[in-house]
Amino acid sequence: MAVPTNRRAILFAIFIAFGGFLFGYDIGVISGCLIMPDFIRRFGEVGPDGVPFLSSSRQSIITSLLSAGTFVGALGQAFTSDRSGRKGSILIWSGIFTIGCAIQTGTTTSIVQLTIGRFIAGLGVGALSAIVPLYNGETSPKKLRGMLLVLYQLQIIIGIFLSYIIEIGTHHIPNSASWRIPVGLQMLWGLIILSGIFFLPESPRHLLGTGRIAEARAVIADLNGVPEDDPIVAESMEELEFGIRAENEGGKATWLECFSTRNMLWKRTLNGMMLQFIQQLNGQNFYYYYGDTFFKSAQTSLDPYSIQAILGGVSVVGTVPALYLIETWGRRKSLLTGSVLEAICSIVAGLVGHFTLAPDGTDPSLLTTQNRRGGDTLIAFAVLHVFSFSMFWGPAPWVYLGESFPLRVRPKAIALGSATNWFWNFLLSFFAPRIAGDIGPLILMIFFGMLVFGFAYVYVFIPETKGLSLEEVDEMYRARIKPWKSAGWRPSEKHIHGDEKKPSTPTSVEDLHATEKSGV
């Protein structure tokens, strides 16, 4: 038996995670555009004093239309992933994203055209946000799956950071190039993923699910770096074929089946959706979307672009340890730790900002020492908040989403989780500037409350999936293991790629029924 290298699987996972870069770059780029003079002149309103400005309502529309598109795209990919395959689906939605970016870049003064372009680009971003965890979850070795799924979050953060750096260099340009350059670069990112997709293999689980056995065998051998006649390939094929037969015996899966009692699917789907919901109300996206305008109220000596660049750099640095922690600490411990650290940052920044910052519009010469220290404290804890999020709550929900569902309902269940993420992302981006305009830094107390809730939810409902194959995760849910006891659970069936020898897996659907009746 050859020693599997998994080198190609890792390379493919790194490339496909570039879909997260598209998502992150767009989040960061629109934040800087909202305070560029030329952008405000073209898409804002003219005040009584004749000075153009962007109202909070226009900021909400421009920012949130992408999130509305992502919600639709996340659900839509479930249909293309089944019909066109994971690879074909990535090709379709990357093309849609690129078209949306072209529409935005070509806009002159029409806010309607700009928002339509953002909606179309959002369709692609939302679809890719579901397909990337789906694809990487199905092609990654189980011991590396968590780390490779974290690459998606890392690419998101790198995209955000790069957009901040580019806008530092372009925002001084006195014409439309100040925003057209960073916005237009998204077309290049789309073309990169479009050209690279032709070198990616199709998911072996999808190939077997559609009867393309020879292709699946070749892909499994390629991903493991072994010949097609190697025992590793045979064992992988046997396990996947058995799982697919058992999953498909009930006919074509429906959306309602994601909430069925079969194999605790309702709980798994609900957990995936709840983690995405809690993640969006952690507070970090508020900083990403509106940090430039929010930090103006802190009256610090740093300009908003520099502060955003610092946040972006901290996010990148914070995500790197997650590549290691997600497989050593596991999913549960990462989420619980992140909830505590972020909650502390939220309550400190919210209360300090509320009680010490000067009113908006205060002349800098009138600021007191307390005002300046309050602003510095708010920014410091915002940086710590973003750092903690990047290490824990940023990657862990996507990892969990990519590894919690059987093949039969996986595209639809992941679509529901991703759509939940984008639904709350839309609500946050639409209402946050209005709420912050009314209550200022106290908006961070909303995020504090959600993080407290998130800690309780994870402890009671989220099991540990570290080190388990996708099939073993299915078995754990069937066994109804208590989440707080799940870290010590071990599968009773034989699943390939494991280090220990276990009893043989049933080789037919009838054997599976007999096993379940016996209480295994």
Side-chain angles (χ1 to χ4, degrees):
M1 178 184 292
V3 177
T5 62
N6 304 131
R7 186 178 298 116
R8 290 181 66 82
I10 295 172
L11 291 175
F12 292 142
I14 292 173
F15 176 78
I16 202 62
F18 191 73
F21 179 90
L22 307 183
F23 164 25
Y25 185 89
D26 189 273
I27 287 178
V29 82
I30 197 61
S31 175
C33 289
L34 292 178
I35 58 173
M36 290 182 179
D38 187 83
F39 189 89
I40 295 173
R41 180 179 64 81
R42 290 172 182 269
F43 305 111
E45 306 166 82
V46 179
D49 56 358
V51 178
F53 73 100
L54 261 182
S55 63
S56 59
S57 60
R58 289 208 172 198
Q59 288 185 41
S60 298
I61 292 170
I62 292 171
T63 305
S64 62
L65 256 291
L66 179 120
S67 299
T70 55
F71 175 78
V72 178
L75 293 176
Q77 67 77 33
F79 300 97
T80 58
S81 291
D82 283 335
R83 295 178 181 178
S84 304
R86 290 26 168 177
K87 180 178 176 179
S89 191
I90 294 171
L91 181 66
I92 293 169
W93 294 105
S94 298
I96 292 174
F97 168 80
T98 306
I99 292 171
C101 294
I103 294 173
Q104 294 177 67
T105 307
T107 308
T108 53
T109 59
S110 172
I111 191 172
V112 175
Q113 181 180 338
L114 178 70
T115 52
I116 288 175
R118 285 184 59 74
F119 179 83
I120 294 173
L123 294 173
V125 171
L128 290 171
S129 73
I131 299 171
V132 171
L134 173 67
Y135 182 89
N136 278 352
E138 292 185 348
T139 58
S140 303
K142 72 175 183 180
K143 289 188 177 180
L144 299 174
R145 189 177 63 241
M147 182 186 74
L148 295 179
L149 286 169
V150 169
L151 285 174
Y152 175 69
Q153 177 67 20
L154 180 60
Q155 291 277 27
I156 292 175
I157 299 303
I158 291 175
I160 293 173
F161 179 59
L162 182 61
S163 71
Y164 292 158
I165 296 301
I166 291 173
E167 288 184 330
I168 285 178
T170 66
H171 79 277
H172 293 295
I173 300 175
N175 53 48
S176 65
S178 60
W179 59 270
R180 286 189 198 275
I181 290 175
V183 170
L185 277 173
Q186 293 178 102
M187 292 187 289
L188 174 61
W189 314 143
L191 291 174
I192 288 174
I193 199 168
L194 276 172
S195 59
I197 194 65
F198 296 101
F199 300 96
L200 288 177
E202 182 54 86
S203 160
R205 285 178 171 85
H206 175 75
L207 291 172
L208 280 173
T210 53
R212 296 150 68 183
I213 298 174
E215 293 178 60
R217 183 179 292 108
V219 169
I220 291 172
D222 189 34
L223 291 175
N224 285 279
V226 297
E228 288 189 34
D229 59 356
D230 191 88
I232 289 176
V233 177
E235 291 175 356
S236 299
M237 291 285 291
E238 178 185 352
E239 179 179 352
L240 291 176
E241 286 175 331
F242 168 73
I244 291 169
R245 284 198 305 270
E247 291 167 3
N248 290 343
E249 65 175 335
K252 186 176 179 60
T254 64
W255 289 94
L256 285 177
E257 188 173 336
C258 295
F259 299 95
S260 71
T261 57
R262 177 176 178 265
N263 292 344
M264 300 291 287
L265 285 177
W266 69 271
K267 185 174 182 180
R268 298 154 78 167
T269 301
L270 181 63
N271 280 346
M273 295 173 69
M274 286 298 296
L275 286 181
Q276 296 294 327
F277 158 63
I278 297 168
Q279 186 207 55
Q280 282 305 301
L281 293 183
N282 266 211
Q284 81 297 332
N285 275 353
F286 174 74
Y287 293 128
Y288 290 148
Y289 279 130
Y290 301 109
D292 286 345
T293 52
F294 182 68
F295 289 134
K296 279 185 175 179
S297 65
Q299 298 279 9
T300 66
S301 57
L302 291 174
D303 67 88
Y305 288 99
S306 298
I307 295 172
Q308 288 291 75
I310 291 171
L311 288 176
V314 166
S315 297
V316 173
V317 173
T319 306
V320 172
L323 295 169
Y324 172 78
L325 293 175
I326 200 70
E327 293 296 358
T328 53
W329 281 21
R331 289 53 160 161
R332 269 178 63 86
K333 190 173 181 180
S334 293
L335 291 169
L336 293 172
T337 303
S339 297
V340 173
L341 295 178
E342 289 179 62
I344 293 172
C345 293
S346 294
I347 193 169
V348 172
L351 294 178
V352 169
H354 176 69
F355 288 110
T356 65
L357 293 186
D360 287 344
T362 301
D363 189 282
S365 63
L366 300 178
L367 295 177
T368 66
T369 301
Q370 184 187 49
N371 295 151
R372 295 186 183 280
R373 287 178 178 173
D376 292 340
T377 302
L378 185 151
I379 291 174
F381 276 89
V383 169
L384 291 174
H385 186 140
V386 170
F387 181 83
S388 300
F389 172 83
S390 301
M391 193 181 300
F392 302 115
W393 269 94
W398 292 110
V399 172
Y400 188 86
L401 195 63
E403 64 185 9
S404 296
F405 307 104
L407 176 67
R408 177 177 170 78
V409 298
R410 189 170 296 139
K412 291 181 172 64
I414 291 179
L416 288 169
S418 298
T420 301
N421 180 291
W422 292 114
F423 176 74
W424 287 98
N425 186 292
F426 166 76
L427 292 180
L428 175 70
S429 59
F430 189 81
F431 289 108
R434 293 172 166 82
I435 297 173
D438 292 335
I439 64 176
L442 284 181
I443 189 174
L444 299 175
M445 301 304 293
I446 297 175
F447 306 135
F448 167 75
M450 181 52 61
L451 287 159
V452 173
F453 168 76
F455 180 94
Y457 188 89
V458 170
Y459 185 83
V460 175
F461 295 109
I462 302 300
E464 181 57 70
T465 54
K466 179 187 72 173
L468 302 178
S469 71
L470 299 181
E471 290 69 31
E472 289 166 349
V473 171
D474 192 58
E475 182 192 345
M476 179 176 64
Y477 271 100
R478 292 200 314 266
R480 300 177 184 270
I481 302 300
K482 299 296 183 184
W484 52 89
K485 297 181 179 179
S486 59
W489 178 83
R490 295 293 178 269
S492 59
E493 300 175 4
K494 175 195 173 188
H495 296 276
I496 55 92
H497 305 310
D499 295 327
E500 301 175 6
K501 293 183 179 180
K502 305 175 182 71
S504 297
T505 304
T507 56
S508 69
V509 174
E510 290 75 13
D511 290 339
L512 173 66
H513 293 326
T515 300
E516 290 180 340
K517 289 178 181 178
S518 67
V520 177

